[in-house]
């Protein structure tokens, strides 16, 4: 009786996989020193598929369902073993289960800026990041190309390869979308669709299906972002250099006011502000003269001299601002009175 019990333990009646956690793509049913009983049961749950492998060759693929293992349910394996006439004894075969659930929230991102060719800015370096999800669509292909005979194959072992494929195809996706950078940043869904289209056939070669890909951010490196901000500022004033310098001056005034408590700070900031405004006037005048019909050098010099600002000299304004700053620091002038007088003086420089 003990001998019969021992023999029965070597036969497998039910073959199934109950996933105990996330992150496993493939799992091999333990078959060491065991044989599958003729008429045994194979249980493949929803979100799973299974394959039978005999002597290194994939014999049969099973979709979700419950199967009684006979010559009818294992036609390919039966043909390989010639069991159509004799199928009374147990048989040995490797059984692999595959999780076909979506593997969600897989991160991707550019560790370093990548260079692309842009319609508006020429060569541009940009960063991008997001996430994606995928699933096993062809377990036979995934087994032969990726997981092989391993006891289990986790998602973590595939992450690096898939992330590299995403990054490798970003440039192709941007070129295929035909969108310049500014439109690309504003249409991240379109960018994601273009990238998904590039990746789909590559994932398919591995037996995978890319379900969803998101682009959460597209940005320029900090130094290029500053240049873009300046270009946007120019666009806001209609590419008028004089107005742009006034815009830059207005941006500098709050910082100037923060440092207006000390006399030396007033002088230094005012000198810098005055020099910036004067330089802006000269640049604006030169740009406008360059766009007009060319005139004789003498006439151009006379016109430039006539256009030069007249009235209060910058050094007088600086001295006045310094004195006003001292009065404010002593409490003789209020902040509102100082700001009003400062604005009046600055108008004389513009």
């Amino acid at each position: 009786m003990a001998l019969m019990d021992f023999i029965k333990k070597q036969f497998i009646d039910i073959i199934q996989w109950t996933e105990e956690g996330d992150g496993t793509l493939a799992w091999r049913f333990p078959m060491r020193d065991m044989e599958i009983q003729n008429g045994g049961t194979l249980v493949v749950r929803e979100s799973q598929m299974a394959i039978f492998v005999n002597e290194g060759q994939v014999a049969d693929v099973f979709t979700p369902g419950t199967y009684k293992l006979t010559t009818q349910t294992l036609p390919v394996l039966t043909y390989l073993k010639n069991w159509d006439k004799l199928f009374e004894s147990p048989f040995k075969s490797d059984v692999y289960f595959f999780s076909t659930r979506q593997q969600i929230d897989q991160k991707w991102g550019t560790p370093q800026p990548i260079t692309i060719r842009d319609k508006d800015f020429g060569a541009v370096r940009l960063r991008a990041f997001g996430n994606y999800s995928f699933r096993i669509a062809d377990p036979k292909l995934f087994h032969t190309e990726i997981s092989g005979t391993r006891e289990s194959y986790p998602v973590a072992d595939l992450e690096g390869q898939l992330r590299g494929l995403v990054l490798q195809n970003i440039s192709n996706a941007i070129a295929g979308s035909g969108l310049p950078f500014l439109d690309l940043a504003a249409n991240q869904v379109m960018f994601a669709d273009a990238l998904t289209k590039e990746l789909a056939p590559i994932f398919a070669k591995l037996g995978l299906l890319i379900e969803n890909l998101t682009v959460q951010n597209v940005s320029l490196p900090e130094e290029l972002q500053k240049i873009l901000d300046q270009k946007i500022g120019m666009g806001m004033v209609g590419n008028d250099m004089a107005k742009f310098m006034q815009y830059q001056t207005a941006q500098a005034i709050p910082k100037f006011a923060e440092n207006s408590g000390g006399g030396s700070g007033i002088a230094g900031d005012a000198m810098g502000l005055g020099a910036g405004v004067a330089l802006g006037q000269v640049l604006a005048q030169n740009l406008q003269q360059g766009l007009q019909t060319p005139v004789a050098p003498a006439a151009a010099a006379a016109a430039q001299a006539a256009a030069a600002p007249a009235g209060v000299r910058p050094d007088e304004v600086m001295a006045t601002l310094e004195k006003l700053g001292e009065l404010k620091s002593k409490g003789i002038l209020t902040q509102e009175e100082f700001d009003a007088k400062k604005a009046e003086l600055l108008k004389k420089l513009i």
Side-chain angles (χ1 to χ4, degrees), residues 289-309:
Q289 289 173 359
L291 295 176
Q292 293 172 352
T293 304
V295 296
Q304 183 173 357

Side-chain angles (χ1 to χ4, degrees), residues 4-12 33-34:
M4 292 300 298
D5 291 339
F6 173 77
I7 294 175
K8 288 181 179 179
K9 290 181 181 179
Q10 310 308 305
F11 298 156
I12 302 172
D33 298 328
M34 294 185 179

